[in-house]
Amino acid sequence: ATQGVNRLITCGSISNTLEGESQLSFNTLSGLFCNNKLRVSSDIRMDGQWICAPTALASSGVIPIDCGDGNHFTLTLTGNASLSNALEKMNGSTYTIQVTQDGTGGHALTFHASYIWEGGSTPVLPTTAGDKYLLKFYSDGSLMYGSTPIEWQL
């Protein structure tokens, strides 16, 4: 770290400035909890895992996604569904959605025009009962760029 550089750490309305060579540390058993947005004004070095629990999405109809809730989502399809334009997406962020077809299967998933796919067309997604697949996206803050889904064979 460069001496004389201040680093501002903010969690909700609480802020702390670390000066110079200061480091923020905490007990790995209790962790650092922030129920709001954690903002750090410089690089983050992480030893160990970065854990972000997935947010469950609605299961059918028009499904809103609020990226302010996190970067990872789960979706169990119980009927045909359409992902809406994601809210609060950040430039440079990546997002994942683990999709599962329910025990009936046959449910289609469509996407808002703000989802742009590798190769230029929306992929054909699995619809067999119990199928699981992972959707991965990179955002420029405006659009969601999707790569080829990963399907798990169970």
Side-chain angles (χ1 to χ4, degrees), residues 48-113:
Q49 297 183 52
W50 180 270
I51 300 169
C52 179
T55 300
L57 299 172
S59 56
S60 63
V62 176
I63 299 175
I65 296 180
D66 185 348
C67 294
D69 291 338
N71 294 67
H72 307 292
F73 302 89
T74 59
L75 168 60
T76 299
L77 292 173
T78 60
N80 292 337
S82 179
L83 292 181
S84 67
N85 184 16
L87 303 173
E88 293 194 52
K89 48 195 174 285
M90 301 293 292
N91 183 18
S93 290
T94 57
Y95 302 94
T96 61
I97 305 172
Q98 179 189 319
V99 182
T100 305
Q101 288 278 341
D102 68 5
T104 304
H107 310 301
L109 180 61
T110 60
F111 302 86
H112 183 271

Side-chain angles (χ1 to χ4, degrees), residues 19-37:
E19 298 180 12
E21 297 289 323
S22 298
Q23 295 181 357
L24 174 65
S25 61
F26 51 93
N27 181 322
T28 57
L29 296 177
S30 62
L32 172 65
F33 295 95
C34 180
N35 291 328
N36 204 318
K37 293 180 178 11

Side-chain angles (χ1 to χ4, degrees), residues 5-21:
V5 174
N6 292 337
R7 292 164 182 83
L8 178 65
I9 311 270
T10 304
C11 181
S13 61
I14 300 169
S15 293
N16 187 8
T17 301
L18 302 178
E19 298 180 12
E21 297 289 323

